[in-house]
Amino acid sequence: MGKAIYDGIYRELRERIVRGDYPPQSFLPSETELCSEYGCSRMTVRKAISMLANEGMVASIKGRGVRVIRPKTDQNQAEKAFYVNELTSFTESARAIGAKPSARLFLLDHVVCSPELSLQTGFAEGEDLTRVNLVRSLDGVAMAVDRHHFLTRIVPNIDEHVATSSLFRYCEENLGLNITVSNREVSVEPPTPEDKELLGITEPIYLAVMRSRTYDSDGEQFEYVVSKYLPNWFHFFDSATRTPLP
Amino acid sequence: MGKAIYDGIYRELRERIVRGDYPPQSFLPSETELCSEYGCSRMTVRKAISMLANEGMVASIKGRGVRVIRPKTDQNQAEKAFYVNELTSFTESARAIGAKPSARLFLLDHVVCSPELSLQTGFAEGEDLTRVNLVRSLDGVAMAVDRHHFLTRIVPNIDEHVATSSLFRYCEENLGLNITVSNREVSVEPPTPEDKELLGITEPIYLAVMRSRTYDSDGEQFEYVVSKYLPNWFHFFDSATRTPLP
DNA sequence: CAGTGGTCTAGACCACAGC
DNA sequence: CTGTGGTCTAGACCACTGC
């Protein structure tokens, strides 16, 4: 992974920005200068810069240069917030904030994809799906409910141990799946009676809901998951770029 | 605006996918074929494909081709949901779902950016900021509260008419600002007493909160806005790509 | 094996910003 | 005017896929 030249340039520029070598509002060295510095062609440098631009770290300004727009406030590091937008596992995210993750399996079975389920999940009708429903906890406190549908054909033999300890690693390592892309929708919804029971909610409250479709490196969808978070645990980051219309 | 070759290819491929000419799970013509079809170089074709990949429409698979992964379910078009993730104006989004938008201005003043405000908003200390607070309504029903901070130096002379009718257009047309990028964080929070009063909430409830920093084409931040939505009006889409780590 | 996408080079011309 | 980023070409080699 990441042996490409542009990837090294991307990482180095990124670290310099985070470290403060290139403070906010300053300009990166010009593309020509970076070409000399790294001894590569302009396209390679531009690829690295476009990756930085895609995550909202810099903005290219025609005729002037590439400006750092990352805000200096790194207040996030101090906070104990759980960020759900990284395409990483629950376990990784939990450890990043120093909390002990755990999971309780409350449903593990198979269903055949019905027409309605097909519309909802995106899987083809008639496919065999493995349902894995979990309550996620941090330091013993319930914070989310995950209801997964896996395409059994691609992710077979999920047992209780895999489901509660390492779903993500199982997909990546044991099955050799490369998770490449994920389409997600976020909304805010009241809990169902089951949600309330699972999360130990008594009062009326709302949950942050994320519905995801995950695809492997073949571009085939292998997972549909609805995650419902208690509000205080949900943080989602996004960087959008405006594309001028005709 | 979109006079580039890659932009035309992007639009055409996108429309073919949406129309169903390239159904989900099928492959686009190979890059070489697209080069012949459009009479351009491979890099130009690849740029168009990467734009499609960035919005989760296709996934490139090395050695095989570019696969369409857009789900066939277009259930969204039928729904009357308000999607907040497009970098467009409230008015545009409202009209897209056939609702009549309106806004009530309840605060319009100036403040000098304090150290605390600087951390929160991302503006430099001492800058003059214009505060514009609005209640947004659809068909006469309150659905969101927007609390803007504009950098007065870049967005001067905001009056009541501009604030309630065309903030977005004012920035883009009258001031010639090109909004290029926006960094946003989504969370779910309980309303303040003021929020409750403005939105007419009596029962305990939660709001979907989006905090955005918006930058112009010079890469300078000119806006910080906290938007709080009633839950049923909030929908947010995202497409994430997994970047392999070292 | 041939075809695919992933990476990279070494040029080129353009539009735009600032002097 | 020079320097910048935006676009584009015409090649090249590689790793990977499927046959």
Side-chain angles (χ1 to χ4, degrees):
Chain A
M1 328 297 164
K3 280 181 289 188
I5 298 176
Y6 68 79
D7 197 68
I9 302 177
Y10 159 72
R11 286 164 201 273
E12 187 159 332
L13 291 179
R14 194 181 204 292
E15 192 184 328
R16 288 187 201 169
I17 294 172
V18 172
R19 252 208 324 259
D21 297 355
Y22 302 138
Q25 298 306 306
S26 73
F27 286 88
L28 297 187
S30 76
E31 296 182 352
T32 324
E33 286 172 309
L34 290 171
C35 289
S36 325
E37 179 176 348
Y38 290 100
C40 66
S41 78
R42 204 177 144 210
M43 187 204 131
T44 306
V45 162
R46 281 177 63 76
K47 169 81 176 174
I49 292 174
S50 81
M51 292 169 73
L52 291 170
N54 274 337
E55 46 181 320
M57 302 275 293
V58 302
S60 294
I61 310 163
K62 191 196 290 197
R64 296 193 60 194
V66 178
R67 175 171 271 177
V68 178
I69 62 173
R70 181 195 161 84
K72 45 178 145 306
T73 57
D74 253 354
Q75 74 273 36
N76 307 321
Q77 289 187 314
E79 285 179 32
K80 291 225 169 192
F82 192 84
Y83 292 101
V84 300
N85 53 321
E86 295 296 333
L87 220 47
T88 51
S89 75
F90 176 81
T91 308
E92 289 175 49
S93 297
R95 291 200 175 125
I97 64 167
K100 188 160 159 290
S102 58
R104 182 172 68 80
L105 183 70
F106 66 93
L107 188 147
L108 174 59
D109 66 359
H110 288 249
V111 292
V112 174
C113 189
S114 66
E116 305 79 44
L117 205 53
S118 172
L119 272 179
Q120 183 198 345
T121 63
F123 293 116
E125 292 180 36
E127 291 276 12
D128 188 90
L129 305 177
T130 306
R131 292 197 297 181
V132 180
N133 292 9
L134 299 164
V135 177
R136 303 281 192 184
S137 298
L138 288 181
D139 292 332
V141 180
M143 55 84 77
V145 181
D146 283 0
R147 293 182 176 85
H148 300 263
H149 286 79
F150 287 98
L151 189 58
T152 312
R153 182 159 54 77
I154 298 187
V155 192
N157 305 324
I158 298 178
D159 59 20
E160 184 170 342
H161 175 258
V162 166
T164 56
S165 68
S166 55
L167 262 177
F168 197 85
R169 200 148 27 101
Y170 177 68
C171 291
E172 286 216 316
E173 293 177 10
N174 299 46
L175 298 176
L177 287 180
N178 288 312
I179 299 167
T180 49
V181 74
S182 172
N183 288 330
R184 298 177 288 193
E185 179 175 358
V186 175
S187 59
V188 179
E189 305 174 14
T192 65
E194 190 189 51
D195 293 335
K196 285 190 177 185
E197 190 193 324
L198 292 166
L199 291 170
I201 310 170
T202 53
E203 27 167 315
I205 202 179
Y206 275 70
L207 302 178
V209 180
M210 189 164 71
R211 297 182 169 79
S212 310
R213 297 176 182 196
T214 318
Y215 300 80
D216 67 11
S217 59
D218 282 347
E220 202 168 15
Q221 184 188 342
F222 69 91
E223 184 195 21
Y224 171 79
V225 54
V226 181
S227 297
K228 301 191 177 185
Y229 294 83
L230 286 173
N232 48 320
W233 292 108
F234 185 84
H235 285 264
F236 191 90
F237 271 110
D238 179 59
S239 177
T241 309
R242 166 97 164 165
T243 314
L245 296 174
Chain B
M1 341 291 169
K3 277 180 292 187
I5 298 177
Y6 69 79
D7 198 68
I9 303 178
Y10 158 73
R11 285 163 202 272
E12 187 159 332
L13 291 179
R14 194 181 203 294
E15 193 184 327
R16 289 187 200 168
I17 293 171
V18 172
R19 253 208 322 258
D21 297 356
Y22 302 139
Q25 299 305 306
S26 72
F27 286 88
L28 298 187
S30 76
E31 296 183 351
T32 324
E33 286 173 308
L34 290 170
C35 289
S36 324
E37 179 176 346
Y38 290 100
C40 66
S41 77
R42 207 178 139 207
M43 185 203 133
T44 307
V45 161
R46 281 177 63 76
K47 169 84 176 172
I49 291 175
S50 81
M51 293 169 73
L52 291 170
N54 274 339
E55 47 180 320
M57 302 275 293
V58 302
S60 293
I61 311 163
K62 192 195 291 196
R64 296 191 61 194
V66 178
R67 176 172 270 177
V68 178
I69 61 173
R70 180 195 162 84
K72 44 179 149 294
T73 57
D74 252 354
Q75 76 274 33
N76 307 321
Q77 291 188 314
E79 284 178 33
K80 290 226 169 187
F82 192 84
Y83 292 101
V84 301
N85 53 320
E86 294 296 333
L87 222 47
T88 50
S89 75
F90 175 80
T91 308
E92 289 174 48
S93 298
R95 291 198 176 128
I97 63 167
K100 189 162 159 291
S102 59
R104 181 171 69 81
L105 182 70
F106 66 92
L107 188 148
L108 172 59
D109 66 1
H110 289 248
V111 293
V112 174
C113 189
S114 67
E116 305 79 42
L117 204 53
S118 173
L119 272 178
Q120 182 199 344
T121 63
F123 294 116
E125 291 177 32
E127 290 276 11
D128 188 89
L129 305 178
T130 306
R131 292 197 296 183
V132 180
N133 292 9
L134 299 164
V135 176
R136 302 280 192 184
S137 298
L138 289 181
D139 292 332
V141 180
M143 55 84 76
V145 181
D146 284 0
R147 292 182 176 86
H148 300 262
H149 285 79
F150 287 98
L151 189 59
T152 311
R153 182 159 53 76
I154 298 186
V155 192
N157 306 325
I158 297 178
D159 59 21
E160 183 170 343
H161 175 258
V162 166
T164 54
S165 68
S166 55
L167 262 177
F168 197 86
R169 202 149 26 104
Y170 178 67
C171 291
E172 285 218 315
E173 292 177 11
N174 299 45
L175 299 176
L177 287 179
N178 287 312
I179 299 166
T180 50
V181 75
S182 172
N183 288 330
R184 299 177 287 192
E185 179 175 358
V186 175
S187 59
V188 179
E189 304 173 16
T192 65
E194 189 189 53
D195 294 334
K196 284 191 179 186
E197 189 193 324
L198 291 166
L199 291 170
I201 309 171
T202 54
E203 28 166 317
I205 201 178
Y206 275 70
L207 302 178
V209 180
M210 189 164 72
R211 295 181 168 80
S212 310
R213 295 175 183 199
T214 317
Y215 300 80
D216 66 11
S217 59
D218 282 347
E220 203 169 16
Q221 184 188 341
F222 68 91
E223 183 194 22
Y224 171 80
V225 54
V226 181
S227 296
K228 301 189 178 186
Y229 294 84
L230 285 173
N232 48 321
W233 292 108
F234 186 83
H235 286 263
F236 192 89
F237 272 110
D238 179 59
S239 176
T241 308
R242 166 97 164 165
T243 314
L245 295 173

